[in-house]
Amino acid sequence: QIGKLADQINYSAYIIGGIVRDLIIGRTNEDIDIVVEGNGIDFANLLAENLGGTVRCHEKFATATWKHPSRLKIDITSARTEYYDYPAALPNVEMSSLKEDLFRRDFTINAMAIQINEDHFGKLIDYFHGFNDIKQNKIKVLYNLSFVEDPTRILRAVRFEQRFNFKMDQQTFDLAMISADKIASTSKPRIAHELSILLKEKHPVESLVRLGEIGIIRYLIGTHSFNVQKLKTFKSLVDEIVPLQQNQNSETWVCYLVILFSETENEIELVKDYCLNNESLKVTDQIVELLDDNQNFLKEDTLGAIHHSLKNYQTESIICYIALMQLQECFANKLKKYLQNRTQIPKLIDGNDLLNLNIEKGPLFAKILLEIECAYLNQEIHSKEDAISKV
Ligand code: CTP
């Protein structure tokens, strides 16, 4: 349908970038990017008029996002933004603009398009042999200055290596090494965006080791060396404990940075430059607090007593603390058991129950509810009746 609408206004239209790569690899991808040789905003409006949904325009870049009622979201860009200057552009000029668009991208595997106009539906546009590189599991830049122009692409190269089990070819690896220092002058939020995606993928430790091999870690954290064992301990605790949590929107990725920065004269505060939201800031602050704490909670015998000290700490903050301190097994096991049991605390009573017991609303509420949770963790109570009689 989208291709037919493009035909109506004589636009060539293509799906492009990551989705083409993933179609070839056989992986799902819900981010659909379309490039038209024409005006992207006009085309998005045409789609909305004919197929419904809404359009959000980014006039400056002549791009638009079309949201279909089915919640499908498609980004539409123009292969040449100055298209209007050349209303009678010849087809070959148009083609070269698509080629230019593809050439400006990061890697050959991301620089393919598939035409969706009816007559050419499914035609693969592959000027730079991305298809072959996929078949050979290769990550390859399109031009020598690619990493210099955008050093975050080094992080992307490692992400695709780990995600697909691909490898940079020698030339790309060498270019990454000699461009690594450029990351030092890249904005922290841009680095953080790519790092967060990289560290949320399946192999964060391997990715960091690879970044170490490239030599870019030094320009990110100020030192060459880092303790892989601490990273591994953290990852295995994450795998063991985070899946048990109900709320899995955890900020584990930022903990890898905390572990790295802790190697550099304990400048964990520097991690805050990379925190993209309040949640990651909170986790970083909590880890600093735990490290500064007198750590009496380690001496506690009961889970209830530990809960008194650690109830407000996120799971990932506590796990990171265990890894950073390389805690002895008995202490680590105690905290692990606490975290595991904490995920299973039921809400035995709530505020209404306390009101029914003629307790006045106020700070006492939170205190009582905490005591009930601690008593549950200590297996002193098991049911709502137990909780009410304890109150
Ligand atoms: N791109 C690029 N350089 C960057 C970021 C992106 O050239 N620094 C290009 C790539 O061609 C990429 C496209 O923009 O395919 C879209 O970027 P993005 O959505 O970040 O990447 P995907 O390849 O779609 O990766 P993912 O599957 O992780 O979404």
Side-chain angles (χ1 to χ4, degrees):
Q1 271 176 311
I2 296 175
K4 277 189 195 157
L5 287 167
D7 288 340
Q8 275 180 23
I9 52 170
N10 279 330
Y11 277 11
S12 298
Y14 310 85
I15 54 170
I16 195 161
I19 180 136
V20 176
R21 173 201 69 215
D22 286 344
L23 273 171
I24 295 170
I25 292 178
R27 212 171 170 269
T28 53
N29 184 331
E30 282 166 13
D31 287 338
I32 303 177
D33 290 311
I34 289 183
V35 148
V36 290
E37 284 172 328
N39 184 290
I41 295 179
D42 289 351
F43 188 57
N45 285 327
L46 182 76
L47 293 179
E49 275 160 33
N50 285 272
L51 304 172
T54 53
V55 173
R56 220 181 64 217
C57 303
H58 320 281
E59 302 279 351
K60 196 170 149 201
F61 304 105
T63 63
T65 302
W66 171 54
K67 264 196 188 152
H68 188 257
S70 66
R71 290 172 60 199
L72 179 74
K73 192 176 127 242
I74 299 185
D75 286 320
I76 299 165
T77 55
S78 311
R80 66 183 306 157
T81 46
E82 68 274 53
Y83 183 75
Y84 270 140
D85 296 340
Y86 303 91
L90 295 169
N92 60 341
V93 175
E94 290 183 345
M95 277 319 279
S96 77
S97 73
L98 176 67
K99 191 170 177 178
E100 245 170 59
D101 178 301
L102 292 168
F103 184 66
R104 282 198 306 263
R105 289 171 184 254
D106 49 3
F107 309 114
T108 57
I109 61 166
N110 288 338
M112 288 179 281
I114 294 177
Q115 193 159 6
I116 54 174
N117 297 87
E118 202 168 24
D119 283 352
H120 301 281
F121 192 86
K123 182 178 162 196
L124 179 70
I125 314 290
D126 180 14
Y127 296 111
F128 310 108
H129 314 295
F131 186 86
N132 254 344
D133 288 340
I134 288 182
K135 293 296 154 206
Q136 293 178 26
N137 300 353
K138 234 189 247 167
I139 311 283
K140 210 164 142 187
V141 281
L142 289 145
Y143 54 98
N144 287 353
L145 287 178
S146 184
F147 291 136
V148 173
E149 283 175 12
D150 183 351
T152 66
R153 286 178 172 170
I154 299 174
L155 308 178
R156 292 172 62 83
V158 170
R159 162 149 66 98
F160 294 126
E161 277 193 336
Q162 298 298 330
R163 186 194 284 177
F164 302 129
N165 201 11
F166 283 13
K167 200 136 198 189
M168 281 181 249
D169 70 346
Q170 192 60 45
Q171 194 191 2
T172 301
F173 182 80
D174 292 344
L175 289 169
M177 277 184 89
I178 58 174
S179 322
D181 60 337
K182 301 288 178 299
I183 201 86
S185 45
T186 307
S187 89
K188 297 278 194 294
R190 285 199 55 220
I191 299 174
H193 173 74
E194 278 302 341
L195 267 182
S196 69
I197 305 177
L198 176 69
L199 297 174
K200 282 177 187 170
E201 301 232 341
K202 277 214 179 99
H203 306 290
V205 181
E206 290 78 357
S207 295
L208 290 170
V209 169
R210 185 71 167 147
L211 291 175
E213 284 167 14
I214 295 169
I216 198 171
I217 286 282
R218 172 150 82 97
Y219 300 102
L220 287 170
I221 63 163
T223 175
H224 270 304
S225 61
F226 54 94
N227 187 322
V228 178
Q229 192 47 48
K230 288 185 186 174
L231 296 168
K232 283 186 179 165
T233 305
F234 177 71
K235 172 74 166 86
S236 68
L237 287 167
V238 166
D239 290 346
E240 201 178 338
I241 294 167
V242 171
L244 305 173
Q245 292 191 131
Q246 272 160 6
N247 169 18
Q248 292 196 17
N249 286 335
S250 65
E251 290 291 331
T252 51
W253 77 273
V254 86
C255 300
Y256 291 103
L257 290 191
V258 171
I259 296 173
L260 290 182
F261 274 97
S262 72
E263 305 287 318
T264 61
E265 295 161 19
N266 279 329
E267 291 192 86
I268 296 176
E269 292 288 325
L270 293 177
V271 174
K272 290 186 180 170
D273 293 343
Y274 296 91
C275 289
L276 296 168
N277 55 27
N278 286 337
E279 276 304 295
S280 47
L281 267 176
K282 183 171 157 188
V283 168
T284 310
D285 275 334
Q286 287 191 346
I287 299 167
V288 174
E289 266 176 49
L290 284 170
L291 293 171
D292 287 348
D293 193 271
N294 56 16
Q295 297 163 14
N296 277 339
F297 53 85
L298 289 179
K299 296 179 203 127
E300 300 293 359
D301 285 331
T302 66
L303 299 188
I306 296 177
H307 193 49
H308 261 287
S309 302
L310 298 186
K311 63 181 183 306
N312 291 327
Y313 288 93
Q314 312 268 108
T315 299
E316 57 268 47
S317 312
I318 300 173
I319 292 177
C320 188
Y321 166 80
I322 300 174
L324 270 172
M325 299 292 290
Q326 294 282 284
L327 286 184
Q328 281 176 25
E329 211 172 320
C330 61
F331 293 128
N333 284 343
K334 202 181 337 181
L335 291 181
K336 258 164 65 178
K337 188 166 176 214
Y338 162 64
L339 289 172
Q340 281 156 347
N341 287 25
R342 171 170 102 162
T343 60
Q344 288 154 20
I345 300 177
K347 225 179 169 38
L348 292 177
I349 54 170
D350 59 19
N352 283 332
D353 297 312
L354 297 184
L355 287 174
N356 290 338
L357 289 167
N358 292 326
I359 298 172
E360 255 180 60
K361 215 172 177 171
L364 191 58
F365 264 40
K367 236 174 143 188
I368 296 175
L369 294 175
L370 171 63
E371 289 306 329
I372 294 299
E373 287 186 353
C374 295
Y376 181 84
L377 283 172
N378 289 345
Q379 298 185 324
E380 293 156 15
I381 60 172
H382 305 278
S383 64
K384 182 167 181 151
E385 290 70 38
D386 292 348
I388 288 176
S389 64
K390 182 159 177 78
V391 175

